[in-house]
């Protein structure tokens, strides 16, 4: 019998693992330098945690199962509900603001396509316990800090920022009652992702009249915050406009403004968002968003905790990697493996010294390797090249020839001098 990997999953052979680690290392480095601490949660939870307030889209994409004890469980499709559960359980003993990040492996039973898989990694950055828009601005700054770190410029990617309260005000002003708001938001979330014809069909399905759609779309197409203030139906949502103005001032002050632009078409697909929302898109790309997030001030209550404000985002590795590859921003070094030293037998009967040198280099923290076979120097040099060794140490009874494989420079050293300072050429 021959087995294949499951549709929508990836096998990480070492060359793919190098890219995955490079991305995850950058996620961690940027999180830490912005003052965030790492956490993690179980990969499966009670099913109800995910159906409580994530919305129908996520619920339909769950890998759920019943365990032997009859418990209804699901593999995590996102980590935000687990984060809310964890914080709610200890909320009184955690000093605020809580600035946490995580890099969970997630599963969603989506139809696999370019940029969309059934298993992926997602960087999560969240600030919990801070109601001010400063926390939203800080999360956006972290996001931009990462984009810059991996060489993506404002020409490559943009953070498009919208507002749930403003979208809800526009929907209400269009005459849609309380009960229709969630489904109207779900339809609006699709607007930038489908063509006009498809959008019309979705609106019809949600019972929206063409007049209502027109009214909402007119609001969504405003690109200037000052213009928003003039729209009479948004009077009641003045706080939402002020929040956006303040947010742009903060991100500008932190030096992230060049990546950010207002886009009121962004409302987000998940049901728990309550405030400023944003998505990151590659320029001219029809792929799904690289990242998305926003404020979710009621999720802790939904999972049985007190009312605690929260905001944050998630960035997936799949779309990010496609974008980095397209823009040529994945470092060339990732294409081959790397090694500090390859230790070579320079003559017969020297293998014990080769082992001694290799062991000493490894104990000193160098990445060092040697051949399992006793072969001629030429063959071993070939292996060293294949393994991406920076240098080779050719060991003989009377000393070591150390050769830099990229410059070709070679020096002769005694064994003792080499081991005392392997770096010196
Ligand atoms: P989300 O928009 O569902 O948000 O996912 C965020 C990002 O994860 C997406 O922009 C995309 O890059 C990636 N992603 C999602 N699903 C897939 C998939 N099937 N295949 C590949 N990549 C995918 C959330 O998950 C929120 N919990 C984020 C958040 C954190 N909000 C506040 N804090």
């Amino acid at each position: 019998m021959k087995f294949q990997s499951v549709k929508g999953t990836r096998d990480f052979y070492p060359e793919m693992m190098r890219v995955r680690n490079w991305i995850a290392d950058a996620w961690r480095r940027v999180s830490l330098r912005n003052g965030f601490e790492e956490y993690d949660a179980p990969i499966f939870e009670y099913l109800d945690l995910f159906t409580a307030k994530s919305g129908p889209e996520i619920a339909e994409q769950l890998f759920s199962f019943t365990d032997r004890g009859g418990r209804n469980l699901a593999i995590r499709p996102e980590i935000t509900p687990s984060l809310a559960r964890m914080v709610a359980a200890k909320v009184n003993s955690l000093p605020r603001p809580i600035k946490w990040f995580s890099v969970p492996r997630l599963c969603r039973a989506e139809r696999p396509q370019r940029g969309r898989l059934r298993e992926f990694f997602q960087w999560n950055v969240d600030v919990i316990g801070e109601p001010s828009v400063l926390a939203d601005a800080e999360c956006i700054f972290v996001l931009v800090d990462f984009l810059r770190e991996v060489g993506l410029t404002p020409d490559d990617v943009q953070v498009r920022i919208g507002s749930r309260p403003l979208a809800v005000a526009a929907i209400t002003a269009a005459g849609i009652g309380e009960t229709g708001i969630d489904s109207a938001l779900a339809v609006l979330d699709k607007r930038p992702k489908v063509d006009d014809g498809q959008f019309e069909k979705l609106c019809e399905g949600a019972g929206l009249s063409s007049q209502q759609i027109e009214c909402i779309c007119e609001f969504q197409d405003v690109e200037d915050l000052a213009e928003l203030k003039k729209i009479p139906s948004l009077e009641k949502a003045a706080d939402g406009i002020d929040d956006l103005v303040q947010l742009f001032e903060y991100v500008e002050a932190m030096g992230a403004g060049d990546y950010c632009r207002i886009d009121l078409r962004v409302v987000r697909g998940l049901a728990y968002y309550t405030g400023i929302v944003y998505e990151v898109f590659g320029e001219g790309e029809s792929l799904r968003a690289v990242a998305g997030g926003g404020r979710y001030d009621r999720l802790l209550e939904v999972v049985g905790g007190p009312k605690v404000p929260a905001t944050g985002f998630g960035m997936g590795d799949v779309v990010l990697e496609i974008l980095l590859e397209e823009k040529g921003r994945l470092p060339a070094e990732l294409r081959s493996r790397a090694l500090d030293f390859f230790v070579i037998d320079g003559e017969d009967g020297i293998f014990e010294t080769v082992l001694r040198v290799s062991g000493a280099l490894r104990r000193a923290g160098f990445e060092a390797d040697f051949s399992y076979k006793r072969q001629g120097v030429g063959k071993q040099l070939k292996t060293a090249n294949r393994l991406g060794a920076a240098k080779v140490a050719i060991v003989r009874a009377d000393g070591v020839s150390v050769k830099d494989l990229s410059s070709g420079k070679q020096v002769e050293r005694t064994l003792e001098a080499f081991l005392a300072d392997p770096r010196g050429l």
Side-chain angles (χ1 to χ4, degrees), residues 78 80 108 110 117 120 122 126 268 272-273 289-290 312:
E78 54 165 342
T80 315
R108 294 186 190 179
E110 293 202 51
L117 296 177
F120 58 99
Q122 192 197 58
D126 290 271
R268 302 282 293 135
Y272 48 65
Y273 293 108
V290 184

Side-chain angles (χ1 to χ4, degrees), residues 350-369:
I350 201 79
F351 184 52
E352 219 183 290
T353 314
V354 166
L355 280 183
R356 188 150 72 84
V357 169
S358 301
L361 287 170
R362 288 174 176 183
R363 288 198 304 278
F366 293 98
E367 292 167 11
D369 210 350

Side-chain angles (χ1 to χ4, degrees), residues 30 33 70 85-86 97 104 108 124 141 150 207 225 235 267 271 284 313 406 419-420:
V30 169
R33 77 184 180 207
R85 177 183 63 67
M86 283 169 67
R108 294 186 190 179
N124 278 254
F141 177 78
V150 295
L225 285 175
E235 252 168 35
V267 295
F313 69 84
S406 56
L419 289 181

